[in-house]
Amino acid sequence: MDIHEYQSKDLFAKYGIPCQFGRSAATSEEIISATEDFPQGEVVVKAQIHAGGRGKGTFIDGYKGGVKVTSSKAEARTIAQKMLGNTLVTNQTGPAGRKVQTIYFAQATNIQKEYYLAILLDRATSMPVIIASTEGGMDIEKVAEESPEKIIRLYIDPLLGLQAYQARLIAYSLGFEGEQVKQMIKLLMNVYRLYDEKDCSQVEINPLITTPEGNIMALDAKINFDDNALFRQPDIRALRDLNEEDPKEIEASRHGLNYIALDGNIACLVNGAGLAMATMDIIKYFGGSPANFLDVGGSANEEQVTNAFKIILSDPNVEGILVNIFGGIMKCDIIANGIIAAAKNVALRVPLVVRLEGTNVALGKKLLQESGLPLVAADSLTEAAQKIVELAA
Ligand code: ADP
Ligand code: MG
């Protein structure tokens, strides 16, 4: 799960990680009241979306920049009104962009230098890793590619947690001296404590800055949480913003379906994550492009299959559906009945290829055949994929 910058900064404040004074606003009235709390002078206006690269982004009406430093409250209000409700496109949003539904006002800070700092879960070693660099503020992927020697990596034993000597090592490696080493150690320890206690999969600060007065602080904040741990993090769960999620994915999670929207045109309805991955691979292999990942699970019922079809068909990009079911726990006749029920409920406007195998396969095929539905049956996965790619083209 992702949260907004302003929510991340609230967590930073609770964990003693220094950042600027800030206020969020979701309506025109709140824009006025939020800015009233600021002292005179510069205010930074920041569009809140679940994507980075906002500073260099452009709104769909041509207005440039989702992060703006303004010289007065009045100017900050005018700019915030322009951003609120507008759609921001950045290198992380895709061409459709994201609608801005909240604005964050932050006190402007003089920046001496911008650094990069993140703690994330390294799945290869099953360990949290600290990534730090003196080259902050910009694209860290680009730094990693062009000057990998400028990226510091330090692995943390999850049983021991971050040790003071490791934090010191990071501080020295970033070139800090004297008083700033102490500040940096404290900050790192606090960021790790947040990462650990709140079941984060990533805490990223880009940029982490030093001010001319010698203070170290977080200017941006991006936190991701491990979905599988959300059951024990009620306060984090409460931060979920459904506006930022694909409505199809929200609907799917309501019915216990594992659904992830993709940008292709062939929808897949599969049982089991491994089979779903293999189905997407083979669609690609035959020149097609999957519109989604959908795992209906090992024990889906007729109602879930019907809902899965509804979700798939609500995607205007879908030009064909491939159902690939291996009946183990899930019997093929249940799937067949689900398909028939769904077809009665929603107009099947695209070609449908069905491949069933396993328990009760003969009964399942018979039910489909007798239903009179305009579907194409396939016996093997290869045949099924070839047929749907051909029909959807
Ligand atoms: P994004 O990463 O989405 O572009 P950031 O929060 O990192 O958004 O902001 C982009 C840039 O804007 C920062 O690198 C920094 O130069 C500037 N900036 C952001 N917040 C402030 C602030 N409070 N004071 C001064 N400059 C800021
Ligand atoms: Mg940033």
Side-chain angles (χ1 to χ4, degrees):
M1 190 186 90
D2 297 341
I3 59 171
H4 289 291
E5 175 197 1
Y6 77 93
Q7 297 169 318
S8 302
K9 294 249 174 100
D10 282 347
L11 282 169
F12 278 12
K14 284 185 188 134
Y15 277 82
I17 301 158
C19 35
Q20 312 72 44
F21 169 78
R23 283 274 177 274
S24 64
T27 62
S28 297
E29 295 74 41
E30 282 174 19
I31 284 177
I32 307 287
S33 56
T35 40
E36 262 160 18
D37 296 340
F38 279 79
Q40 285 304 329
E42 295 187 335
V43 181
V44 184
V45 186
K46 309 182 87 172
Q48 300 294 290
I49 53 170
H50 284 183
R54 296 163 301 164
K56 289 187 179 139
T58 306
F59 290 90
I60 45 165
D61 63 357
Y63 186 71
K64 283 209 178 333
V67 176
K68 291 267 183 172
V69 182
T70 67
S71 53
S72 69
K73 285 185 207 184
E75 194 193 350
R77 282 172 188 162
T78 311
I79 289 177
Q81 298 288 6
K82 269 187 207 159
M83 290 183 183
L84 192 65
N86 208 338
T87 300
L88 180 59
V89 182
T90 80
N91 59 3
Q92 293 181 15
T93 60
R98 291 280 177 86
K99 189 169 172 190
V100 178
Q101 319 224 29
T102 307
I103 304 289
Y104 184 57
F105 297 99
Q107 193 156 26
T109 312
N110 289 320
I111 303 170
Q112 188 176 57
K113 185 166 169 50
E114 298 191 331
Y115 298 82
Y116 177 92
L117 175 67
I119 302 185
L120 50 98
L121 181 66
D122 178 50
R123 290 171 202 277
T125 55
S126 310
M127 280 178 152
V129 58
I130 294 184
I131 311 266
S133 177
T134 52
E135 310 303 300
M138 51 173 164
D139 225 347
I140 195 68
E141 287 83 5
K142 210 169 143 200
V143 179
E145 210 171 281
E146 289 169 9
S147 35
E149 74 286 351
K150 289 186 172 152
I151 307 263
I152 302 160
R153 271 192 194 77
L154 190 132
Y155 292 88
I156 302 161
D157 185 321
L159 289 178
L160 299 176
L162 178 64
Q163 301 293 299
Y165 81 89
Q166 292 180 305
R168 210 154 38 234
L169 200 65
I170 297 274
Y172 286 132
S173 306
L174 289 173
F176 289 117
E177 290 174 356
E179 170 58 27
Q180 285 190 329
V181 174
K182 280 188 204 151
Q183 275 189 55
M184 191 61 195
I185 291 171
K186 194 169 158 211
L187 185 141
L188 282 164
M189 290 306 220
N190 286 338
V191 174
Y192 183 76
R193 199 160 54 82
L194 164 63
Y195 170 90
D196 188 45
E197 287 179 8
K198 295 296 177 194
D199 291 311
C200 304
S201 49
Q202 170 171 258
V203 180
E204 185 189 59
I205 305 175
N206 187 26
L208 177 79
I209 60 146
T210 49
T211 67
E213 301 79 39
N215 296 320
I216 302 177
M217 60 199 316
L219 216 62
D220 193 5
K222 189 168 184 290
I223 308 183
N224 311 119
F225 300 90
D226 179 352
D227 289 351
N228 293 319
L230 286 174
F231 73 94
R232 61 181 186 191
Q233 298 288 357
D235 54 332
I236 300 299
R237 240 171 24 230
L239 301 178
R240 184 171 175 193
D241 182 355
L242 293 178
N243 287 325
E244 290 287 324
E245 295 178 28
D246 187 318
K248 297 192 292 302
E249 291 181 9
I250 298 168
E251 185 63 15
S253 71
R254 201 173 287 149
H255 300 293
L257 301 164
N258 282 313
Y259 173 91
I260 294 162
L262 300 168
D263 51 15
N265 63 342
I266 298 175
C268 321
L269 191 155
V270 188
N271 65 332
L275 190 59
M277 297 300 281
T279 306
M280 290 175 10
D281 278 350
I282 201 159
I283 286 172
K284 273 266 184 206
Y285 181 79
F286 286 113
S289 176
N292 67 276
F293 169 96
L294 173 56
D295 169 16
V296 293
S299 56
N301 55 34
E302 189 178 308
E303 194 193 333
Q304 276 177 305
V305 174
T306 306
N307 284 313
F309 260 93
K310 281 188 188 162
I311 292 163
I312 281 176
L313 286 165
S314 71
D315 179 350
N317 295 330
V318 167
E319 289 171 325
I321 304 173
L322 172 55
V323 174
N324 182 26
I325 299 290
F326 183 81
I329 301 168
M330 159 90 87
K331 297 184 183 72
C332 292
D333 54 316
I334 302 272
I335 285 291
N337 279 325
I339 295 169
I340 295 164
K344 278 183 191 149
N345 262 308
V346 287
L348 201 60
R349 56 174 172 79
V350 294
L352 168 66
V353 173
V354 181
R355 183 241 178 182
L356 297 177
E357 197 53 83
T359 311
N360 291 1
V361 64
L363 179 57
K365 282 184 175 172
K366 186 163 166 274
L367 285 168
L368 288 176
Q369 216 167 23
E370 288 169 356
S371 72
L373 285 175
L375 58 84
V376 178
D379 286 324
S380 73
L381 181 47
T382 303
E383 187 195 341
Q386 275 172 326
K387 278 185 173 163
I388 195 61
V389 170
E390 209 177 285
L391 288 168

